[in-house]
Structures are given as C-alpha cells and as structure tokens.
Amino acid sequence: MEFINLVLGSFSLLLSPQILLYVVAGFLIGTIFASIPGLTATLALALLLPLTYSLDVSTALMACASIYMAGMCGGSITATTINIPGAPSSMMTALDGYPMQLQGKGPLALGHAAFGSMVGGALGAILLIVLAPFVAEVALLVKTTGKFSLLAFAIVVIVIAQRGKVVKAGMAACIGLMLATVGLDAMEPMTRFTFGSSELTAGLDLMPMIIGTFAISEILIQAKSNGCAEKMVEALKKVTISRRDFIPPLSEIRKIGVMCYLKSSLIGYAVGTLPGAGGSMGSFLAYAETVRTSDEPETFGKGNPKGIVASESANNAVCGGALVPMLTFGIPGDPVTAIMLGVLVINGIQPGPQLMVGQAELIAPMLASLLFSALILIPLTLYLLGPYFIKIVAIRKDVLYGIIALLAVVGSYVATFSTFQMMMSLIIGILAYYLRKHDFPVITLLLGFILGPNLEEFLRRSLSLSNGNPMTFFTNYDSLFFVILTLIFVYFLAIKKPLKKPF
Amino acid sequence: MLLNKNVVFHFLLFFLSVGYFVIAINLGAPFANNGLQPSSFPLLIGLFAMMFSSILLYREVKLMKSKASSLEDDTQTDNALSGKGRFAPLAVMLSIFLYILLFSPLGYFFSSILFVLSIIIIFSSLEKVLQKIVISTIIVSFGYLVFEQMFGVRLPTLWG
C-alpha cells in the first residue's frame, strides 16, 4: 500500500513543466519512431540514452516509460494505413486494421487501436504497481545459488523463445557473454581478453553496446534496403485520414466486449513477465485466443475491430509485465527494458529487489509516467496529432538517417568524452549488423552481455560456498525452483509443438 | 556466391569461438582451492560457443552442398542485389570510421557536416548537393543545440 501511495504521489511530479515536457516529448518521439517502419522505440531509446547523463534518474526513467508505451501503440498507425507494421508488436493489428482502412474505416481502426492500447497499457501499469512490491519481497528470499539459477533460467528462456532460430540465439547469447568477460575479473585482480589495451581494463561500456547493437546496425540495415523505404513514403503520401472518425462509438466497444479487453491485457501482461517474449508474442497469443473463442472466427482478417483490440491491448499490457523482472530481479525482458536497466546502471544504481524495497522513490515516478502515458497520452496524441503523423512518417529517409547517424555516433562520445567509445560503438554495430543480416537475434547478445557478469559472479560464489559441489544448485530450494521452472519452459517452448498461426 | 559468404561468416564465428576458448585455456586452471578461477566461466562460454558455431557451420555447409546444383539462381539473386544498395552499408561503415578519426582534430562542426552530408548522399544521390549541404548544416546545428546547449555536453572544437 505504501508503494501505491508513493506512485500516486509521484503524479504531482507531472505538474512540473520541465518533467511534463520530457514525458510528452518522449511519448511523441516514441510514437514517431514506432510508426516509421524500420525504426523502433528501442532505437529511439538507444539514441536518447546518452542524454540521460544530464538528467536526474527519475526524470530519465519517466521519459523512458513514456517512450516504451508510445513504442507499443505507435506501430499501429502504419500497420493500419499502409499494411506495414511500424513495430513488430503491431504485426497482428495489420491483419484487421488494413482491411478496415480499405473499407474506408481507417480512422475508426486507429481509434480502436488507441482505445485498446489505452486499456491494455493502463491495466498492465496498474498490475505492475500493485504486484511489483510483493514480487520484490519474494525476490529478497532468493539467495546466491538461486540467483545463479534464476539468471540461467532467464538466458535459457530468452534463447528458446526465439523459435526457429534457437541455435543462432544461443550463439548470439554466447557472444554477449564473451564480451561481458572482457576486462578486470570481478573476484580476482586479473585482466581477461584485454590484449594489453588499458582502455579495455574496465570492460566494455554498456553505452556503445546499446548504440552499436540497436542504432548503428539499424543504419547499416536501412542503408541496404533503402529502396523499400522510398516505396513506403510513396504509399504514405496517398493516405489521408481525418480526425472526426477517430472516436469508436460506444455500441462497437460494447460489441467487442469488456472480456476481450481484459483477457487480452492479462495475456499481454503475463507474456511480458517472461524474458525475451516481448510485444509481438503477447499480441499474437491474445489475437489467437480471441479468434479461438469468437462466435464468428471467419470475420477475422477481414476488418474485425476485435482483432485490433486484442492485439493492441496485449502489446501495451506487455510494458507493465516486462518491467516486473527488470525491477524486481534486475533481469530485462526485452530491448527496451534492457536500455532502461542501462539508465539505472550508468547512474550507479544496482537493479534488483533492494531497489524496489530501499529506493522505491526512484521507481515510483516511472510507474506513474507509464500509467499517465497509457491513460492520457495515447488517446490525446492520436486525437490531436493522428492526421499529422502520416505526414511526419513520410519524412525524407536520407535526412532522417543523417539525424540518426549523428545522434548515434556523437551519443557514444558523451559517456566518457573519448573517441574510443565511438570506435567501440562502430565495431559492435558492424558485428550486430552482420549477425542481423544472418538472422541472429541480437537481443540475446545484449542480454547475455548485461546478465553475464552477475551470472559468473553467482556461479563462482555458489560453488565457493559449497566447496565446489555442483549439487548445491539442486539442494537449495530457491535454486531448485528455478531449475524446475527452466525445465518446464524448455518443455513448453522448445519441445512441445508450437501454436499454429491464426492466418 | 551468397551461400559462400554465409559459410565464411559462420566459419568466422567458429574461428572466434575457438580463439576465445584457447585464450581462456591460457588464463590458467579453472579450479583451485575448491573454487572456480577466472578462466572457468570463459571456458564454459567458449565450449558452448564452439558447440553452437559448429552446429551452425555444419548446417550452412550442408545447405551449400544441397543448393550447389542451383548455383545459377543464386548468381541471379546476387546480381539483383548489386549496385548502390550492396555497397551502401560499407560506405556507411567507412563514413562513420572517418568521422570518428576526424572528430577530435577537425572539431564537432566541420567533421559532423561532412559526416551527415555523406550519410544523406549514401541514402539518396549526388543530386542537389547544395541543398543537402544546407540540410546537413541545419542538422549539425540542431545536434549542437541538443548536446551542448540543452544537455551541457562539451563537444570538441577546431580551435581546441
């Protein structure tokens, strides 16, 4: 209850014009990035990460939360208008959004998407606010061996969640773990893999890792597929949407049914709590469940607003779910929460259960911003700026990538004022580009890098405490719990047959 | 040609994994005094990396052999990718590399204008260069406002 009061109290921070400006600007940037196919809210956050150095942690996290929420709903704009999802999480939205656009109901489809996003985002945020303190209390019970098994569980789940490319995901995670071992050993005064370079003694910085993995590799990918972008801009120029039809009538919302909103949001939230699952899996599962339980499944894929609602409620509820493991265990579930974790780390704050218990005042404003973004900014932004987003999205790609390239490269200079970090960003960016080109999921690389140091530390501490006996991972109940959980997830995600696509 | 590139890439990953593992071995014994030493974790990661990369390399070689008969189709696909799009990523890499080298000696403004201009040209064409120089200058000035004026980051200047 104390934490809920703290979150409610944090809404007063939004009365400060400066903080409100950062939150609203973050939301607009997130929406623009998410609505441009090829760009994502992750890229927006990666580019803005260096700027968080000059902000206080709470304000930076509030801006991050609004970008995250915007990133999940912004993709529906181009998914609906030109059948190209701006973000992967809006893939399922396009199935019914675009047919509605073809029927001349594009604005209404966007209205349904925004309303679904608002409900899903708000429910996800409320569940996070209510449940996170309890999860953090439970997390405090997890000791060293349990922490190792938990981190191993997270990495295994992230890898096996990449269906169809598990070996590639495993390899990418190994590269991330390898990069995490560069520098001074955490327990003994010995350097590893530095090749005599004094600049590598402290290890690789998180900033060039994030900027390289998400920003520079994206510029390289887009440079290769530039022709597609031009076609997309041409398609967008033909689209016109008006504001008057945005608001979905109450009769249609009733027809969709409260249960559809609630069930999809709960599915999204639950999926969000799993490491590596993300918005696209949440929206896919909610959509599949809505089709499965519908009386008229044949109408889906032909412009049924229920499909849009299911997809958008779920992907926005993922935001609340994905923050649970990040805040309570220090395990990021997706790229955005990995960057948010980066904001904490670069400010010298160690994420984990102690953070929720001991420094809740830092986290509460972020959750207030998440709820504010869902309830106020999603509908307001769509209503006020919806018609103009199409024009913004049709921005010249050469100019856009000029700006992104400048922000990415100069951004990596900001951390240490050294061109060495810029060079590291380029090297990591080239590595990530070739990995992505060969269909390796780079998110597992980043999570391997982030979780690697703790994974190693807890493994070595656990075995030191047990005099080198590996059975300690099976005899401690907290560790055994995560070992069994890992086996369950391996069974359901890697061994059991996957769900069929609805279309 | 494209398939050969895939094999080369996967071979490089395998080579990287083996190299990492060999360096990890040279870090010393993995166990001592009933505890794990600094080499133990890299050895474990190296083993996993070798396992994954060898599976991927085997798959690629197998795929290459099975598609060897349809080599003509691949060549056609490769030709379709040729031209600007094929070299654009390399041009971007070179631009960023040169920008980093020139960032401190030339200062933020001059190096950034050249860099942004090069990226704009890579993503479009050599037409209307004057207009693109003006756009680059505006973007770089905007970057200056964001980094130096709004967020207080001290950027290098030509005059030190």
Side-chain angles (χ1 to χ4, degrees), chain A residues 42-120:
Chain A
T42 311
L43 174 62
L45 261 181
L47 291 173
L48 297 175
L49 182 66
L51 304 181
T52 60
Y53 272 99
S54 43
L55 295 176
D56 72 86
V57 190
S58 285
T59 311
L61 289 172
M62 287 173 90
C64 287
S66 68
I67 294 175
Y68 193 16
M69 192 56 83
M72 284 293 180
C73 64
S76 63
I77 297 172
T78 43
T80 300
T81 48
I82 55 167
N83 202 23
I84 301 174
S89 56
S90 295
M91 207 168 58
M92 304 311 285
T93 310
L95 288 179
D96 285 289
Y98 188 61
M100 280 185 78
Q101 166 76 15
L102 293 179
Q103 293 159 20
K105 296 179 192 166
L108 187 62
L110 286 173
H112 277 298
F115 191 65
S117 297
M118 183 185 90
V119 174

Side-chain angles (χ1 to χ4, degrees), chain A residues 221-473:
Chain A
I221 294 266
Q222 294 299 329
K224 197 171 177 70
S225 58
N226 199 19
C228 307
E230 281 163 13
K231 281 177 202 160
M232 195 267 296
V233 171
E234 284 306 310
L236 279 167
K237 279 179 182 166
K238 292 173 192 160
V239 175
T240 49
I241 51 172
S242 64
R243 190 182 288 145
R244 65 178 184 279
D245 299 323
F246 272 137
I247 303 166
L250 199 61
S251 58
E252 279 203 20
I253 293 173
R254 276 204 195 117
K255 198 179 165 193
I256 290 165
V258 181
M259 275 312 286
C260 178
Y261 289 96
L262 282 179
K263 197 163 62 176
S264 305
S265 304
L266 287 175
I267 290 172
Y269 182 82
V271 169
T273 58
L274 303 176
S280 16
M281 192 185 279
S283 96
F284 169 75
L285 289 177
Y287 190 91
E289 175 60 16
T290 308
V291 175
R292 191 185 68 82
T293 52
S294 171
D295 297 331
E296 39 189 22
E298 70 284 354
T299 58
F300 285 85
K302 294 170 187 163
N304 189 334
K306 222 171 172 176
I308 299 173
V309 166
S311 165
E312 288 298 315
S313 302
N315 67 29
N316 278 79
V318 163
C319 299
L323 283 169
V324 175
M326 196 278 266
L327 292 176
T328 54
F329 291 102
I331 296 173
D334 62 7
V336 177
T337 46
I339 299 174
M340 286 164 96
L341 188 132
V343 173
L344 292 171
V345 171
I346 61 178
N347 281 286
I349 298 161
Q350 184 60 43
Q354 282 84 3
L355 176 66
M356 282 294 289
V357 177
Q359 292 174 288
E361 68 283 356
L362 284 178
I363 301 302
M366 178 178 76
L367 306 192
S369 169
L370 198 70
L371 191 55
F372 174 75
S373 303
L375 280 176
I376 311 290
L377 293 182
I378 290 177
L380 200 65
T381 307
L382 180 82
Y383 186 73
L384 295 178
L385 302 172
Y388 309 110
F389 270 126
I390 294 298
K391 307 285 172 221
I392 298 167
V393 170
I395 184 175
R396 273 175 59 175
K397 288 289 165 285
D398 54 346
V399 175
L400 183 70
Y401 285 105
I403 298 170
I404 290 173
L406 182 76
L407 290 177
V409 184
V410 179
S412 36
Y413 172 81
V414 171
T416 55
F417 296 99
S418 108
T419 49
F420 178 76
Q421 295 294 352
M422 295 164 100
M423 202 56 92
M424 285 314 299
S425 294
L426 175 62
I427 293 167
I428 301 292
I430 293 172
L431 172 72
Y433 164 69
Y434 281 107
L435 287 172
R436 288 176 67 180
K437 203 177 148 192
H438 290 90
D439 207 23
F440 283 74
V442 288
I443 175 64
T444 58
L445 179 145
L446 186 68
L447 293 183
F449 179 79
I450 289 173
L451 301 180
N454 282 337
L455 188 75
E456 179 179 10
E457 189 189 332
F458 293 133
L459 172 71
R460 286 167 67 181
R461 280 191 199 284
S462 303
L463 289 174
S464 291
L465 291 169
S466 66
N467 290 323
N469 182 6
M471 287 309 289
T472 185
F473 297 111

Side-chain angles (χ1 to χ4, degrees), chain A residues 21-22 51 54, chain B residues 142 144-153:
Chain A
L21 179 73
Y22 283 122
L51 304 181
S54 43
Chain B
F142 162 76
Y144 176 80
L145 279 177
V146 171
F147 283 110
E148 185 132 348
Q149 300 300 315
M150 274 176 73
F151 293 99
V153 177

